[in-house]
Amino acid sequence: MYRRNSKKASPVHYRCKFVSHKMNQVFTVDSLLEFDACFHLEYSPLIESFEAQPVGFVYQCLNRHCPYTPDFKIVEKGITKYIEVKPWNITQELDFQRRFPAKQQKAAELGIPLILITEKQIRVNPVLNNLKLLHRYSGFQSLTPLHTSFLSLVKKRGRVSIQDAGKQLRCEHTLILKTALSLVSSGMLSLNLVNEELSLNSVVWSNSCES
């Protein structure tokens, strides 16, 4: 196995820190694209755990032993996988097309599939924008009387728009939106992150209800 030494980022790399409340730690990633991938890993209900820059391995390519560190190691529905994040244009280069199959072969020998994802899977909106907005309200927050009243209203109504909840609870728009997103971020409520931009018109429901 191979652990890459932590080095100062080169001028072409943009080291970013992602605060994961799912994993209760801060990850350092090597690009803005990897940073954006973290939002998907953080909020996907299928991803049980993830790790950035995990212990890697040595593979053979062009008669040489080459060290490799995957961008992520995840557990998805009980299955461990490696993830490589690359811009689409890089995946079309000859060097990548020579090396990546060799990396996949070695990963398969280790019993862990290596999956490639590009910005075509990561930078999809409105999903990514919604996840970034949700992340602003993530982390531990104690329940206020407004949180409790909001949860009680959703339990009673089944589904309710954030704007209607604000009217029912006589709460101004900014505060009711912040309250709703903090409850969604904590997993107490759900909403549609895929098809529409988050707004006061977004409908929330309890996780005990069918979506």
Side-chain angles (χ1 to χ4, degrees):
M1 305 306 281
Y2 168 75
R3 171 70 78 177
R4 187 174 70 180
N5 292 327
S6 178
K7 298 179 180 178
K8 184 177 180 180
S10 72
V12 297
H13 285 137
Y14 300 89
R15 287 232 163 150
C16 306
K17 292 186 181 297
F18 182 86
V19 180
S20 171
H21 298 287
K22 174 185 277 189
M23 302 309 301
N24 193 32
Q25 66 183 102
V26 178
F27 293 116
T28 299
V29 295
D30 286 339
S31 71
L32 293 173
L33 187 58
E34 290 175 35
F35 181 73
D36 286 347
C38 287
F39 292 97
H40 293 275
L41 301 177
E42 179 79 0
Y43 290 105
S44 171
L46 303 180
I47 306 297
E48 298 157 36
S49 66
F50 70 99
E51 174 188 359
Q53 305 297 316
V55 173
F57 52 82
V58 175
Y59 69 100
Q60 278 196 316
C61 185
L62 302 176
N63 297 316
R64 294 190 309 175
H65 294 284
C66 307
Y68 170 65
T69 299
D71 295 315
F72 298 99
K73 184 178 182 180
I74 70 170
V75 177
E76 181 179 19
K77 295 190 289 186
I79 300 174
T80 301
K81 301 176 182 179
Y82 290 128
I83 301 292
E84 172 77 1
V85 175
K86 278 286 185 290
W88 172 255
N89 64 307
I90 298 297
T91 69
Q92 303 308 295
E93 294 178 359
L94 179 60
D95 184 64
F96 179 89
Q97 293 179 357
R98 284 174 175 168
R99 291 178 178 275
F100 190 69
K103 296 173 184 177
Q104 285 186 307
Q105 180 179 341
K106 182 60 180 183
E109 292 172 4
L110 297 171
I112 303 177
L114 172 61
I115 309 299
L116 172 67
I117 60 173
T118 73
E119 70 272 19
K120 293 187 177 184
Q121 291 81 44
I122 296 169
R123 289 179 172 160
V124 178
N125 281 311
V127 180
L128 182 58
N129 285 340
N130 287 342
L131 294 178
K132 288 184 174 183
L133 179 59
L134 202 60
H135 197 62
R136 296 181 192 175
Y137 301 96
S138 62
F140 176 77
Q141 298 178 8
S142 58
L143 292 180
T144 66
L146 180 56
H147 285 94
T148 303
S149 297
F150 199 131
L151 288 169
S152 296
L153 178 63
V154 174
K155 184 176 181 180
K156 180 180 178 180
R157 296 271 299 272
R159 290 170 175 258
V160 64
S161 74
I162 297 173
Q163 183 166 264
D164 284 346
K167 291 178 181 178
Q168 290 283 324
L169 301 174
R170 299 181 179 180
C171 180
E172 58 96 13
H173 288 171
T174 302
L175 183 56
I176 199 66
L177 182 61
K178 178 179 179 179
T179 301
L181 295 183
S182 67
L183 289 169
V184 172
S185 179
S186 67
M188 296 182 187
L189 295 179
S190 292
L191 51 70
N192 186 341
L193 296 169
V194 176
N195 302 118
E196 58 188 27
E197 295 279 355
L198 295 184
S199 70
L200 288 168
N201 293 322
S202 297
V203 174
V204 295
W205 61 87
S206 171
N207 283 335
S208 61
C209 298
E210 299 215 358
S211 58

PDB file of all heavy atoms in Angstrom, residues 64-85:
ATOM      1  N   ARG A  64       6.923  -0.003 -15.344  1.00  0.00           N
ATOM      2  CA  ARG A  64       7.396   0.719 -14.163  1.00  0.00           C
ATOM      3  C   ARG A  64       6.394   0.550 -13.020  1.00  0.00           C
ATOM      4  O   ARG A  64       5.203   0.359 -13.243  1.00  0.00           O
ATOM      5  CB  ARG A  64       7.563   2.220 -14.458  1.00  0.00           C
ATOM      6  CG  ARG A  64       8.660   2.534 -15.459  1.00  0.00           C
ATOM      7  CD  ARG A  64       8.932   4.025 -15.513  1.00  0.00           C
ATOM      8  NE  ARG A  64       7.707   4.794 -15.690  1.00  0.00           N
ATOM      9  CZ  ARG A  64       7.650   6.120 -15.671  1.00  0.00           C
ATOM     10  NH1 ARG A  64       8.748   6.824 -15.472  1.00  0.00           N
ATOM     11  NH2 ARG A  64       6.508   6.737 -15.841  1.00  0.00           N
ATOM     12  N   HIS A  65       6.928   0.626 -11.790  1.00  0.00           N
ATOM     13  CA  HIS A  65       6.069   0.628 -10.607  1.00  0.00           C
ATOM     14  C   HIS A  65       5.710   2.077 -10.287  1.00  0.00           C
ATOM     15  O   HIS A  65       6.601   2.913 -10.084  1.00  0.00           O
ATOM     16  CB  HIS A  65       6.787  -0.014  -9.418  1.00  0.00           C
ATOM     17  CG  HIS A  65       7.055  -1.476  -9.599  1.00  0.00           C
ATOM     18  ND1 HIS A  65       6.066  -2.427  -9.474  1.00  0.00           N
ATOM     19  CD2 HIS A  65       8.178  -2.147  -9.938  1.00  0.00           C
ATOM     20  CE1 HIS A  65       6.566  -3.623  -9.698  1.00  0.00           C
ATOM     21  NE2 HIS A  65       7.862  -3.481  -9.992  1.00  0.00           N
ATOM     22  N   CYS A  66       4.423   2.374 -10.269  1.00  0.00           N
ATOM     23  CA  CYS A  66       3.959   3.755 -10.104  1.00  0.00           C
ATOM     24  C   CYS A  66       3.060   3.874  -8.872  1.00  0.00           C
ATOM     25  O   CYS A  66       2.091   3.121  -8.742  1.00  0.00           O
ATOM     26  CB  CYS A  66       3.171   4.199 -11.331  1.00  0.00           C
ATOM     27  SG  CYS A  66       4.038   3.975 -12.900  1.00  0.00           S
ATOM     28  N   PRO A  67       3.368   4.792  -7.970  1.00  0.00           N
ATOM     29  CA  PRO A  67       2.502   4.988  -6.798  1.00  0.00           C
ATOM     30  C   PRO A  67       1.246   5.762  -7.190  1.00  0.00           C
ATOM     31  O   PRO A  67       1.285   6.625  -8.077  1.00  0.00           O
ATOM     32  CB  PRO A  67       3.381   5.805  -5.851  1.00  0.00           C
ATOM     33  CG  PRO A  67       4.303   6.557  -6.745  1.00  0.00           C
ATOM     34  CD  PRO A  67       4.559   5.665  -7.927  1.00  0.00           C
ATOM     35  N   TYR A  68       0.145   5.452  -6.517  1.00  0.00           N
ATOM     36  CA  TYR A  68      -1.129   6.104  -6.836  1.00  0.00           C
ATOM     37  C   TYR A  68      -1.970   6.277  -5.575  1.00  0.00           C
ATOM     38  O   TYR A  68      -2.100   5.355  -4.777  1.00  0.00           O
ATOM     39  CB  TYR A  68      -1.909   5.270  -7.853  1.00  0.00           C
ATOM     40  CG  TYR A  68      -3.327   5.747  -8.055  1.00  0.00           C
ATOM     41  CD1 TYR A  68      -3.595   6.999  -8.607  1.00  0.00           C
ATOM     42  CD2 TYR A  68      -4.407   4.943  -7.680  1.00  0.00           C
ATOM     43  CE1 TYR A  68      -4.896   7.435  -8.795  1.00  0.00           C
ATOM     44  CE2 TYR A  68      -5.713   5.370  -7.862  1.00  0.00           C
ATOM     45  CZ  TYR A  68      -5.957   6.627  -8.423  1.00  0.00           C
ATOM     46  OH  TYR A  68      -7.248   7.064  -8.589  1.00  0.00           O
ATOM     47  N   THR A  69      -2.516   7.471  -5.422  1.00  0.00           N
ATOM     48  CA  THR A  69      -3.454   7.753  -4.339  1.00  0.00           C
ATOM     49  C   THR A  69      -4.799   8.139  -4.941  1.00  0.00           C
ATOM     50  O   THR A  69      -4.878   9.157  -5.654  1.00  0.00           O
ATOM     51  CB  THR A  69      -2.955   8.909  -3.444  1.00  0.00           C
ATOM     52  OG1 THR A  69      -1.713   8.549  -2.860  1.00  0.00           O
ATOM     53  CG2 THR A  69      -3.955   9.208  -2.332  1.00  0.00           C
ATOM     54  N   PRO A  70      -5.854   7.373  -4.704  1.00  0.00           N
ATOM     55  CA  PRO A  70      -7.179   7.780  -5.200  1.00  0.00           C
ATOM     56  C   PRO A  70      -7.599   9.099  -4.560  1.00  0.00           C
ATOM     57  O   PRO A  70      -7.103   9.477  -3.497  1.00  0.00           O
ATOM     58  CB  PRO A  70      -8.083   6.632  -4.753  1.00  0.00           C
ATOM     59  CG  PRO A  70      -7.160   5.482  -4.468  1.00  0.00           C
ATOM     60  CD  PRO A  70      -5.886   6.094  -3.988  1.00  0.00           C
ATOM     61  N   ASP A  71      -8.511   9.777  -5.204  1.00  0.00           N
ATOM     62  CA  ASP A  71      -9.010  11.026  -4.631  1.00  0.00           C
ATOM     63  C   ASP A  71      -9.911  10.766  -3.432  1.00  0.00           C
ATOM     64  O   ASP A  71      -9.878  11.520  -2.454  1.00  0.00           O
ATOM     65  CB  ASP A  71      -9.754  11.826  -5.701  1.00  0.00           C
ATOM     66  CG  ASP A  71      -8.829  12.279  -6.813  1.00  0.00           C
ATOM     67  OD1 ASP A  71      -7.722  12.766  -6.499  1.00  0.00           O
ATOM     68  OD2 ASP A  71      -9.198  12.130  -7.994  1.00  0.00           O
ATOM     69  N   PHE A  72     -10.700   9.696  -3.510  1.00  0.00           N
ATOM     70  CA  PHE A  72     -11.601   9.358  -2.401  1.00  0.00           C
ATOM     71  C   PHE A  72     -11.710   7.839  -2.259  1.00  0.00           C
ATOM     72  O   PHE A  72     -11.547   7.100  -3.222  1.00  0.00           O
ATOM     73  CB  PHE A  72     -13.018   9.911  -2.634  1.00  0.00           C
ATOM     74  CG  PHE A  72     -13.095  11.403  -2.718  1.00  0.00           C
ATOM     75  CD1 PHE A  72     -13.139  12.040  -3.951  1.00  0.00           C
ATOM     76  CD2 PHE A  72     -13.125  12.171  -1.564  1.00  0.00           C
ATOM     77  CE1 PHE A  72     -13.205  13.420  -4.041  1.00  0.00           C
ATOM     78  CE2 PHE A  72     -13.195  13.559  -1.637  1.00  0.00           C
ATOM     79  CZ  PHE A  72     -13.242  14.177  -2.878  1.00  0.00           C
ATOM     80  N   LYS A  73     -12.011   7.438  -1.046  1.00  0.00           N
ATOM     81  CA  LYS A  73     -12.424   6.068  -0.758  1.00  0.00           C
ATOM     82  C   LYS A  73     -13.781   6.170  -0.085  1.00  0.00           C
ATOM     83  O   LYS A  73     -13.943   6.909   0.900  1.00  0.00           O
ATOM     84  CB  LYS A  73     -11.417   5.381   0.172  1.00  0.00           C
ATOM     85  CG  LYS A  73     -11.717   3.901   0.442  1.00  0.00           C
ATOM     86  CD  LYS A  73     -10.630   3.315   1.336  1.00  0.00           C
ATOM     87  CE  LYS A  73     -10.850   1.840   1.605  1.00  0.00           C
ATOM     88  NZ  LYS A  73      -9.777   1.282   2.486  1.00  0.00           N
ATOM     89  N   ILE A  74     -14.773   5.479  -0.635  1.00  0.00           N
ATOM     90  CA  ILE A  74     -16.128   5.592  -0.111  1.00  0.00           C
ATOM     91  C   ILE A  74     -16.690   4.221   0.233  1.00  0.00           C
ATOM     92  O   ILE A  74     -16.182   3.187  -0.229  1.00  0.00           O
ATOM     93  CB  ILE A  74     -17.064   6.284  -1.131  1.00  0.00           C
ATOM     94  CG1 ILE A  74     -17.314   5.362  -2.334  1.00  0.00           C
ATOM     95  CG2 ILE A  74     -16.493   7.621  -1.570  1.00  0.00           C
ATOM     96  CD1 ILE A  74     -18.407   5.854  -3.268  1.00  0.00           C
ATOM     97  N   VAL A  75     -17.722   4.235   1.048  1.00  0.00           N
ATOM     98  CA  VAL A  75     -18.531   3.038   1.272  1.00  0.00           C
ATOM     99  C   VAL A  75     -19.943   3.387   0.833  1.00  0.00           C
ATOM    100  O   VAL A  75     -20.588   4.262   1.412  1.00  0.00           O
ATOM    101  CB  VAL A  75     -18.515   2.590   2.739  1.00  0.00           C
ATOM    102  CG1 VAL A  75     -19.434   1.379   2.925  1.00  0.00           C
ATOM    103  CG2 VAL A  75     -17.102   2.257   3.194  1.00  0.00           C
ATOM    104  N   GLU A  76     -20.401   2.732  -0.245  1.00  0.00           N
ATOM    105  CA  GLU A  76     -21.714   2.995  -0.815  1.00  0.00           C
ATOM    106  C   GLU A  76     -22.565   1.741  -0.728  1.00  0.00           C
ATOM    107  O   GLU A  76     -22.246   0.723  -1.339  1.00  0.00           O
ATOM    108  CB  GLU A  76     -21.587   3.444  -2.273  1.00  0.00           C
ATOM    109  CG  GLU A  76     -22.910   3.755  -2.938  1.00  0.00           C
ATOM    110  CD  GLU A  76     -22.733   4.219  -4.373  1.00  0.00           C
ATOM    111  OE1 GLU A  76     -21.658   3.958  -4.954  1.00  0.00           O
ATOM    112  OE2 GLU A  76     -23.658   4.833  -4.915  1.00  0.00           O
ATOM    113  N   LYS A  77     -23.624   1.811   0.040  1.00  0.00           N
ATOM    114  CA  LYS A  77     -24.512   0.663   0.255  1.00  0.00           C
ATOM    115  C   LYS A  77     -23.716  -0.571   0.660  1.00  0.00           C
ATOM    116  O   LYS A  77     -23.949  -1.675   0.174  1.00  0.00           O
ATOM    117  CB  LYS A  77     -25.362   0.400  -0.987  1.00  0.00           C
ATOM    118  CG  LYS A  77     -26.330   1.538  -1.300  1.00  0.00           C
ATOM    119  CD  LYS A  77     -27.328   1.163  -2.369  1.00  0.00           C
ATOM    120  CE  LYS A  77     -26.675   1.063  -3.723  1.00  0.00           C
ATOM    121  NZ  LYS A  77     -27.690   0.844  -4.808  1.00  0.00           N
ATOM    122  N   GLY A  78     -22.734  -0.359   1.535  1.00  0.00           N
ATOM    123  CA  GLY A  78     -21.949  -1.460   2.070  1.00  0.00           C
ATOM    124  C   GLY A  78     -20.772  -1.888   1.222  1.00  0.00           C
ATOM    125  O   GLY A  78     -20.017  -2.777   1.614  1.00  0.00           O
ATOM    126  N   ILE A  79     -20.587  -1.274   0.051  1.00  0.00           N
ATOM    127  CA  ILE A  79     -19.511  -1.654  -0.864  1.00  0.00           C
ATOM    128  C   ILE A  79     -18.443  -0.565  -0.878  1.00  0.00           C
ATOM    129  O   ILE A  79     -18.737   0.605  -1.110  1.00  0.00           O
ATOM    130  CB  ILE A  79     -20.044  -1.882  -2.286  1.00  0.00           C
ATOM    131  CG1 ILE A  79     -21.084  -3.010  -2.281  1.00  0.00           C
ATOM    132  CG2 ILE A  79     -18.905  -2.214  -3.247  1.00  0.00           C
ATOM    133  CD1 ILE A  79     -21.776  -3.210  -3.613  1.00  0.00           C
ATOM    134  N   THR A  80     -17.190  -0.961  -0.644  1.00  0.00           N
ATOM    135  CA  THR A  80     -16.080  -0.012  -0.660  1.00  0.00           C
ATOM    136  C   THR A  80     -15.626   0.234  -2.095  1.00  0.00           C
ATOM    137  O   THR A  80     -15.488  -0.704  -2.891  1.00  0.00           O
ATOM    138  CB  THR A  80     -14.892  -0.550   0.165  1.00  0.00           C
ATOM    139  OG1 THR A  80     -15.326  -0.765   1.515  1.00  0.00           O
ATOM    140  CG2 THR A  80     -13.731   0.428   0.165  1.00  0.00           C
ATOM    141  N   LYS A  81     -15.402   1.510  -2.415  1.00  0.00           N
ATOM    142  CA  LYS A  81     -14.968   1.886  -3.767  1.00  0.00           C
ATOM    143  C   LYS A  81     -13.929   2.993  -3.675  1.00  0.00           C
ATOM    144  O   LYS A  81     -13.928   3.792  -2.736  1.00  0.00           O
ATOM    145  CB  LYS A  81     -16.153   2.403  -4.598  1.00  0.00           C
ATOM    146  CG  LYS A  81     -17.290   1.423  -4.771  1.00  0.00           C
ATOM    147  CD  LYS A  81     -18.444   2.061  -5.532  1.00  0.00           C
ATOM    148  CE  LYS A  81     -19.622   1.105  -5.665  1.00  0.00           C
ATOM    149  NZ  LYS A  81     -20.766   1.720  -6.382  1.00  0.00           N
ATOM    150  N   TYR A  82     -13.046   3.037  -4.664  1.00  0.00           N
ATOM    151  CA  TYR A  82     -12.157   4.176  -4.858  1.00  0.00           C
ATOM    152  C   TYR A  82     -12.785   5.102  -5.899  1.00  0.00           C
ATOM    153  O   TYR A  82     -13.422   4.633  -6.844  1.00  0.00           O
ATOM    154  CB  TYR A  82     -10.778   3.749  -5.369  1.00  0.00           C
ATOM    155  CG  TYR A  82      -9.914   3.007  -4.388  1.00  0.00           C
ATOM    156  CD1 TYR A  82      -9.338   1.774  -4.725  1.00  0.00           C
ATOM    157  CD2 TYR A  82      -9.626   3.536  -3.135  1.00  0.00           C
ATOM    158  CE1 TYR A  82      -8.515   1.094  -3.840  1.00  0.00           C
ATOM    159  CE2 TYR A  82      -8.807   2.866  -2.245  1.00  0.00           C
ATOM    160  CZ  TYR A  82      -8.258   1.646  -2.601  1.00  0.00           C
ATOM    161  OH  TYR A  82      -7.446   0.976  -1.722  1.00  0.00           O
ATOM    162  N   ILE A  83     -12.557   6.401  -5.747  1.00  0.00           N
ATOM    163  CA  ILE A  83     -13.055   7.381  -6.701  1.00  0.00           C
ATOM    164  C   ILE A  83     -11.894   8.220  -7.239  1.00  0.00           C
ATOM    165  O   ILE A  83     -11.083   8.732  -6.473  1.00  0.00           O
ATOM    166  CB  ILE A  83     -14.086   8.331  -6.057  1.00  0.00           C
ATOM    167  CG1 ILE A  83     -15.284   7.546  -5.504  1.00  0.00           C
ATOM    168  CG2 ILE A  83     -14.541   9.400  -7.056  1.00  0.00           C
ATOM    169  CD1 ILE A  83     -16.143   6.908  -6.561  1.00  0.00           C
ATOM    170  N   GLU A  84     -11.813   8.334  -8.543  1.00  0.00           N
ATOM    171  CA  GLU A  84     -10.878   9.241  -9.200  1.00  0.00           C
ATOM    172  C   GLU A  84     -11.680  10.383  -9.808  1.00  0.00           C
ATOM    173  O   GLU A  84     -12.631  10.159 -10.575  1.00  0.00           O
ATOM    174  CB  GLU A  84     -10.100   8.504 -10.300  1.00  0.00           C
ATOM    175  CG  GLU A  84      -9.234   9.385 -11.175  1.00  0.00           C
ATOM    176  CD  GLU A  84      -7.929   9.817 -10.512  1.00  0.00           C
ATOM    177  OE1 GLU A  84      -7.675   9.414  -9.358  1.00  0.00           O
ATOM    178  OE2 GLU A  84      -7.158  10.548 -11.150  1.00  0.00           O
ATOM    179  N   VAL A  85     -11.322  11.621  -9.477  1.00  0.00           N
ATOM    180  CA  VAL A  85     -12.003  12.806  -9.983  1.00  0.00           C
ATOM    181  C   VAL A  85     -11.090  13.504 -10.989  1.00  0.00           C
ATOM    182  O   VAL A  85      -9.960  13.860 -10.660  1.00  0.00           O
ATOM    183  CB  VAL A  85     -12.355  13.774  -8.834  1.00  0.00           C
ATOM    184  CG1 VAL A  85     -12.964  15.061  -9.387  1.00  0.00           C
ATOM    185  CG2 VAL A  85     -13.305  13.104  -7.840  1.00  0.00           C
TER     186      VAL A  85
END
